[in-house]
Amino acid sequence: MEKSRWNILSYILLLAVCSLIAVRWFNRPDNAASSKKMEDVTITVYSDYPTYDSLKDLENDSTYIVEGQYTGLLSTWNVDRLPSDPSQEDPTSYSEGRKYGFTVSRVLKGEDVPEEIEINKVYSVQAKYLDENGEEIAYQLPTQYYTEPQIGETYLLFLNYDAECSGTYFSAGEPGEIMLGSDGLSETCSNLFNPPANQPEMMTTYAEGEDTIYRISFPRKRREDLYQDFLSGIPWEELLDQVEAAAE
């Protein structure tokens, strides 16, 4: 079984009961559900997504390293797969992946990379909340690793390839996406290593039961001792030279 498929599945099947991850807000259910009572729930979150503390280690785990630009959102799809046949989606579960077009202008590592490729980003995973009646309520939980691509900006991506499930490229880990800033310096695109200044400390999502809407909240604190940004603030061409040297 190919490593790439297991990488995708391991990134999205990390949820256990009350062990959840998120970084963005989902909207409150629509007004049709406003007659239901609201109950607040606080949970703890965990993850074992691969992270790196050096360029060399990140490069070693990346099959491909490319420079280029995102061109737009192509489609959404169910990244939950049947264990018996990963080419088929799981009809009992839905976790959302978003496929983006990406134009490759330079390949720093890897062979036979097309000029136009598709990048898969996992946007949300299906989670379940156990209510007071012992009933499981399925809901969508956004992942903390999703960042919205800036269309037309120049990026450096550290990637692996999923040949078996989707035919798309995906991030090798964190921080696997670097953008060229307007000042000519590199900017790490990561909610762990370089979170936005306006990132909320408490994140919220919703699980809707028959009579109750559960407002599920959890704190998100950056572990600076674990996630030190080592790729921001480098002149762009100097960064590319460092990447090529690390790939040798």
Side-chain angles (χ1 to χ4, degrees), residues 12-13 15 78-85 88-96 125-128 136-140:
I12 63 177
L13 300 179
L15 299 179
N78 185 6
V79 296
D80 290 346
R81 304 281 97 186
L82 286 176
S84 59
D85 183 3
Q88 302 296 317
E89 69 177 66
D90 186 345
T92 67
S93 180
Y94 180 84
S95 296
E96 183 174 303
V125 295
Q126 179 171 291
K128 293 183 179 179
E136 287 187 335
I137 304 172
Y139 65 100
Q140 287 294 296

Side-chain angles (χ1 to χ4, degrees), residues 39-181:
E39 182 174 325
D40 289 317
V41 177
T42 301
I43 60 174
T44 303
V45 303
Y46 302 95
S47 171
D48 62 357
Y49 191 86
T51 59
Y52 301 91
D53 58 11
S54 73
L55 177 59
K56 185 62 177 179
D57 289 341
L58 176 58
E59 184 278 327
N60 284 340
D61 279 1
S62 304
T63 307
Y64 305 95
I65 305 175
V66 300
E67 180 189 31
Q69 296 181 334
Y70 283 100
T71 57
L73 177 65
L74 301 177
S75 65
T76 60
W77 68 297
N78 185 6
V79 296
D80 290 346
R81 304 281 97 186
L82 286 176
S84 59
D85 183 3
S87 66
Q88 302 296 317
E89 69 177 66
D90 186 345
T92 67
S93 180
Y94 180 84
S95 296
E96 183 174 303
R98 296 187 172 186
K99 296 180 181 180
Y100 290 89
F102 189 86
T103 299
V104 176
S105 58
R106 182 175 177 181
V107 178
L108 289 86
K109 181 182 179 182
E111 298 180 353
D112 301 322
V113 181
E115 183 177 345
E116 302 292 334
I117 62 176
E118 293 184 7
I119 306 294
N120 180 56
K121 286 173 167 274
V122 179
Y123 180 72
S124 67
V125 295
Q126 179 171 291
K128 293 183 179 179
Y129 177 73
L130 192 67
D131 69 12
E132 67 271 16
N133 299 317
E135 298 293 329
E136 287 187 335
I137 304 172
Y139 65 100
Q140 287 294 296
L141 183 70
T143 73
Q144 67 172 334
Y145 308 111
Y146 176 82
T147 55
E148 188 80 30
Q150 302 298 306
I151 307 304
E153 298 294 336
T154 298
Y155 282 86
L156 181 68
L157 304 183
F158 296 79
L159 303 169
N160 287 319
Y161 182 67
D162 174 30
E164 192 167 1
C165 296
S166 64
T168 61
Y169 295 78
F170 61 95
S171 179
E174 289 280 324
E177 188 171 77
I178 316 299
M179 188 174 71
L180 171 60

